[in-house]
Amino acid sequence: MSDRTDGCAMLGAVETRSVSPVFVGRAGELTALTEALSRATAGEPQALLVGGEAGVGKTRLIEEFLETACDRGAVVAVGGCVELGADGLPFAPFATALRSLRRKLPDELTAAADGQEGELARLLPELGDPGSHESSEEDSTARLFELTVRLLERLAADRTIVLVLEDLHWADTSTRHLLTYLLRTLRRGRIVVVASYRADDIHRRHPLRPLLAELDRLRTIRRIELSRFTRTEVHRQLTGILAAEPAPGLVEEVFERSDGNAFFVEELVVSHEAGCAPGQLSDSLRDLLLVRVETLSEDAQRVARIVAEGGSTVEYGLLAAVARLGEDELIEALRACVGANILLAVPDGDGYRFRHSLVREAVSDDLLPGERSRLNRRYAEALESDPTLVRPDERATRLATYWYHAHDPAKALPAVLRASVATRKRHAYAEQLRLLERAMELWDEAPAEIRRGLRPMDYAEAYPACGCDPETTPLSYLDLLAEAAVAARFSGEHERALKIGRMALRLLDSEDVHDPLRAAWFWTERARFQSNLGRGDGWEEIARAQELVKGLPPSAVHAVVLVGAAGWGMLRNPGPEALTAAERAVEYARHVKAESIELNARLTLGTIMTAAGDVEAGLAEMHEVRERTTALGQFSETARAHINISSALESLGRSAEAVEIADAGIRLARSYGLVGSVGWIEANRAESLLSLGRWDEAREAAERLQGSASGTKPRGSASLRLAQLAAARGELEAATRHLAAACAVYGTRDPIPQYTLPMAQVAIAVAAAEGRVQDVRAQIAAAAEGGFPPGTHRYGWPLVLTAAAAEADSRGLPAADEGRAEALATIRRCVRALAAPAPIWAAHSLQVSQELARAEGNESAARWTEAVAAYEPLDRPAQLARARHRLADALLVEGGHRDEATALLREAHATAVRLGARPLREDVELLAARARLSLAPEKQSPAAVEPGDDTFGLTPREQDVLRLVAAGRTNRQIAEELFISPKTASVHVSNILAKLGVAGRGEAAALAHRLHLLDTAL
């Protein structure tokens, strides 16, 4: 046993009783925790948040619960968020808890982490070597989070685990993000997650506040708020502490002064026992908390001050090096601190911490400014002299923090930069950003000779460090800004990234030396953030970057700029310019041997080629990228290949293949923790399921995506799919709600056809169903004005088909007569702009043509027969059923062909019922009723068709009123024409709306014309 371990072991049992041995109150809260334990033991994961002001008794409640959990055989792991000055250590509570699980379940944890040890070592270094620096990806943090959740689920498969994370108010950003991910995605395993926080610290701008608000929206999480003790409970607490009945005056005084705060009660008792009469107690909270400390010897007080400045926990060896006391003197001082219940020996380590953070804060606040700097310097010097004094995963961050608070820029700047590299390797990008911003703060304060000794980190992707030889060229401030911009992007801090980019571009503009390459890199980054933040489409920035690199020798930056231009065009205008940019990006990347950039560019190239009509070559290119990135282990790019291939297949009408590719992509993305990629692939899969008529599966996928997607765009796609499905099922209120959610996500500053055109199609469908013909026309006019760039036919055809059908359904409505010719001309102009490169779009073209003919009263059964024939070999049940319905209608109008019409309507009706497509089902049923056709299968006896089945139960008088409503008459005009009172007319109109199940007169008129309710029987 080492000296430092001996030092803790000797003091582990020393304690002065000021804590009540009797657990007071909290019966309801303890019951909630134990009930959660029971549910978790039964296989239902549980999550609870325990909040309350400092000293109210959170720790004591959790300790009582953990004792119960241990008695029931649960494995307990506790980790606390670490406060180090004003900083937190990345993932500190999770690392501590996993370390505890590794000690208690060594073989089980090794098996659960099998194959992922290197990645999980970023959280728990004992698992292995996370490897030297590797190229990071924006999905790397999410991957680490997914693997952590999976590890815990595997451990909890056969045993109950209680994971406690304390002091969330000190949590670093990465810890908060990991906790949020854990609580949102934990779905199986016998596990209870309990997290505590100090409620009185959560001010309006505290970073924990939005996290708590987000978790409150998750119904799977229970929040427990501890209130202060009542007078009766304080009386019981005092009785337990004193082991005797307290004097009534003491109870009253202590309750009044403590206001029911359990920890303050303890401190008041100590003050009383030290000889202070109740009336002499200090009114100052800090003075009260320092009473214990001030009764100690000078050495003990000095040790308490050192521990207070060292962080949440200070290792014995580090404490010995900083205190500079003889071993005997140090042990005696620690014995006094532990005996006074000020310090505690850490159970699973070799260090000490304050029993309560309030006392530590009071002691730290009592330090003089110079004293604080001196102590931090001593900590830093001790750690530099012997790095083994702290855990390797904490070393760089703690050294950087100590030097920073020692106010020594010469030492702090290099230490902060080293710590930023360490946090980056752990995928703690938020903490890396904070450290880099601290380096920016220290830059001008550090001596020039120190800055000249710094070397470029060269981790900012394609950004070229300033200088030709990294071994001799010093790190520049511009290099630092580039690192910070990437860290901000990876941590999701796009506003900060944009601000850092502005600083860099101002610096480049002001310098005498022209540096177009680095300026182009920053402009490309700015384009990305402009788009992500909804500030614009980013083209202006990309164009500026292209101008800057024009004429320069090939470089990785040049390739990145071209990839940016090609990617912009792929989404917004996949024409010849985008194709050329992608080809040049591939060429430049190959020239400079930047294979990762080359593969990215090739994937974009293949996508544009497919959209441009070079289908097989484009798909082959994308498949080659998928295979190559898999071989290289670049799984984020592999997942992107699945995204693009599944989307391309859907655009060709090959939806079943698209689902297969999407399923494979989801399996791959999940196995590597690529959570962001899963969202994009799931969105594509839901679209293809919708096309295939697997509507219930599509709804489940979209709803799942809404609750789990890590990015806003996939969540927007989920809302869009739900809107499309709701519109197809006639659920207009739901369609409107989901459409509004999608619009809110996509915004208006960066219109991308793959979002704007489907949203317009849903808006047209809803407006048509509600009889708002002019709104239909406004939407199609806006779409026509925006145009249909190459490759957007997959979104354009459904849009024009919906608009054409709306015009056809409104034929005969007086309100729709004005402007009809212009509207039909607009639709035909849209049709001319749309390509039909695949059978599915050729079928759409035929159907649109016939809907336009129907809108003019010129439809023919022969042309509808062609449309049905075009859809029959395709896997598009909804479109085929609608075409069959139209063909049946045309056959019946032309006369004869009743058997053929009956067969068509039966097939269409069966499809509509299976899909839950209410509007289509109603149309089929009304047409069958009017034509006196049975929809029952041939082997069944045809049900008798009751008279009036084709009129929704409308009386002859109500049918007369409906004709006048459809003609646009007011209630008074209806009354005059039918020789009834306006009140009677109003009653008839109300009855009509109720029987038709519509909300207004316009919708009733549209329905009447669409279903031929006002025609004579066929």
Side-chain angles (χ1 to χ4, degrees), residues 28-44:
E29 293 86 350
L30 185 58
T31 298
L33 289 165
T34 53
E35 286 177 351
L37 178 65
S38 298
R39 286 193 291 270
T41 302
E44 182 184 351

Side-chain angles (χ1 to χ4, degrees), residues 958 961 971 980-993:
E958 287 169 347
V961 173
N971 286 352
I980 59 177
S981 71
K983 183 175 181 180
T984 301
S986 175
V987 171
H988 282 314
V989 170
S990 297
N991 289 339
I992 291 167
L993 298 182

Side-chain angles (χ1 to χ4, degrees), residues 334-628:
L334 286 169
R335 183 181 297 278
C337 292
V338 173
N341 220 3
I342 295 169
L343 297 182
L344 294 175
V346 179
D348 298 330
D350 64 347
Y352 293 88
R353 64 177 178 85
F354 275 81
R355 176 178 164 265
H356 202 287
S357 59
L358 283 174
V359 179
R360 180 172 71 84
E361 291 165 12
V363 173
S364 180
D365 289 344
D366 202 42
L367 293 172
L368 299 172
E371 188 178 13
R372 178 172 285 109
S373 298
R374 181 169 56 84
L375 286 176
N376 275 282
R377 175 175 290 278
R378 284 193 181 180
Y379 271 115
E381 290 171 345
L383 196 50
E384 277 192 342
S385 177
D386 185 359
T388 65
L389 292 173
V390 301
R391 294 185 185 278
D393 55 312
E394 298 180 4
R395 189 177 299 145
T397 300
R398 288 179 66 174
L399 185 61
T401 300
Y402 290 142
W403 277 125
Y404 179 78
H405 290 292
H407 303 296
D408 188 338
K411 287 284 194 178
L413 180 58
V416 164
L417 292 173
R418 286 192 295 270
S420 75
V421 174
T423 54
R424 183 183 190 282
K425 289 184 176 180
R426 299 186 70 188
H427 299 332
Y429 298 115
E431 282 59 53
Q432 181 201 10
L433 174 60
R434 177 180 52 77
L435 288 163
L436 290 170
E437 287 179 331
R438 183 165 285 180
M440 291 156 59
E441 172 194 336
L442 293 166
W443 187 264
D444 289 334
E445 299 178 17
E449 59 270 19
I450 295 296
R451 296 201 301 268
R452 283 195 295 269
L454 301 173
R455 291 294 173 263
M457 293 175 281
D458 200 24
Y459 297 146
E461 300 176 323
Y463 173 83
C466 298
C468 300
D469 184 2
E471 296 299 321
T472 58
T473 304
L475 176 76
S476 77
Y477 189 68
L478 202 59
D479 300 336
L480 189 58
L481 293 175
E483 296 288 342
V486 174
R489 167 154 52 90
F490 281 8
S491 62
E493 295 284 353
H494 294 162
E495 283 284 4
R496 290 162 78 181
L498 195 59
K499 181 179 178 181
I500 291 166
R502 287 196 200 101
M503 292 171 59
L505 290 170
R506 281 198 300 268
L507 188 64
L508 284 162
D509 287 343
S510 65
E511 287 185 350
D512 296 333
V513 179
H514 185 55
D515 200 339
L517 204 59
R518 290 167 186 84
W521 185 89
F522 278 108
W523 278 111
T524 305
E525 287 290 293
R526 182 181 170 88
R528 187 200 306 259
F529 299 131
Q530 287 284 99
S531 176
N532 289 341
L533 290 169
R535 306 281 174 77
D537 60 10
W539 178 249
E540 183 180 342
E541 289 78 11
I542 290 173
R544 181 79 175 268
Q546 287 182 294
E547 283 297 319
L548 286 165
V549 297
K550 187 179 293 184
L552 296 179
S555 68
V557 173
H558 207 141
V560 165
V561 171
L562 290 170
V563 167
W568 188 94
M570 177 183 70
L571 293 175
R572 298 167 181 85
N573 188 16
E577 290 183 6
L579 184 65
T580 300
E583 290 171 338
R584 291 180 62 209
V586 173
E587 177 188 345
Y588 274 66
R590 282 177 178 163
H591 187 82
V592 298
K593 296 180 173 55
E595 188 173 13
S596 62
I597 300 175
E598 177 196 339
L599 291 168
N600 184 319
R602 287 180 62 192
L603 188 54
T604 300
L605 175 62
T607 305
I608 298 172
M609 290 169 64
T610 304
D614 194 359
V615 174
E616 295 308 321
L619 288 174
E621 186 79 16
M622 289 189 279
H623 280 292
E624 286 178 16
V625 171
R626 185 185 62 161
E627 292 169 6
R628 179 57 180 163

